[in-house]
Amino acid sequence: MSSPERIFKKELCDDGLLSLEKLDRASPEMWPEKIPGITDFIAMSDTPICTPAPEWTNGLSREDVTSMLELSKLSHNGVILEVKNIYDDAYQLGVHEAKEMTRGKYLGIFSNAKKK
């Protein structure tokens, strides 16, 4: 290689590597926090996050809550059918209760209670 070619290649390499970009800025955040400082707050805690039960669940058993969740998954027509079944059960219970009350009257169960 001759001397002028070396000088040209050296200038080409030097100019090709030259960057005018300033690197004194911070990197952009790829996934910013939705709530600023939440990751620091969670890191401070040694225990898992525990949410208290809502007030409307006070007095309800686990079975009650499970039943409510099952009902919430039903479609519109499914809820209507479930309500109809509840009405039918209530009607049958009323019929059975009326029969038992009549039976109790014939056996004289209620008249003894009034005399005492």
Side-chain angles (χ1 to χ4, degrees), residues 20-36:
L20 300 175
E21 182 181 4
K22 294 181 180 179
L23 299 176
D24 60 345
R25 61 175 169 77
S27 299
E29 288 189 49
M30 296 189 71
W31 296 283
E33 294 179 320
K34 291 185 179 183
I35 302 172

Side-chain angles (χ1 to χ4, degrees), residues 73-105:
K73 293 177 184 176
L74 293 177
S75 66
H76 181 70
N77 291 333
V79 172
I80 291 172
L81 288 174
E82 191 67 29
V83 170
K84 284 182 180 180
N85 288 337
I86 292 171
Y87 279 134
D88 290 342
D89 290 344
Y91 176 76
Q92 292 299 325
L93 184 62
V95 168
H96 183 69
E97 183 180 7
K99 286 181 184 176
E100 291 297 320
M101 291 294 287
T102 304
R103 184 175 174 207
K105 286 179 186 177

Side-chain angles (χ1 to χ4, degrees), residues 8-59:
F8 177 73
K9 284 186 178 182
K10 185 177 180 185
E11 288 177 1
L12 184 64
C13 289
D14 290 343
D15 290 339
L17 296 176
L18 182 64
S19 175
L20 300 175
E21 182 181 4
K22 294 181 180 179
L23 299 176
D24 60 345
R25 61 175 169 77
S27 299
E29 288 189 49
M30 296 189 71
W31 296 283
E33 294 179 320
K34 291 185 179 183
I35 302 172
I38 193 69
T39 53
D40 296 333
F41 177 74
I42 291 173
M44 289 179 358
S45 175
D46 292 336
T47 59
I49 296 174
C50 179
T51 55
E55 287 186 29
W56 58 267
T57 60
N58 292 344

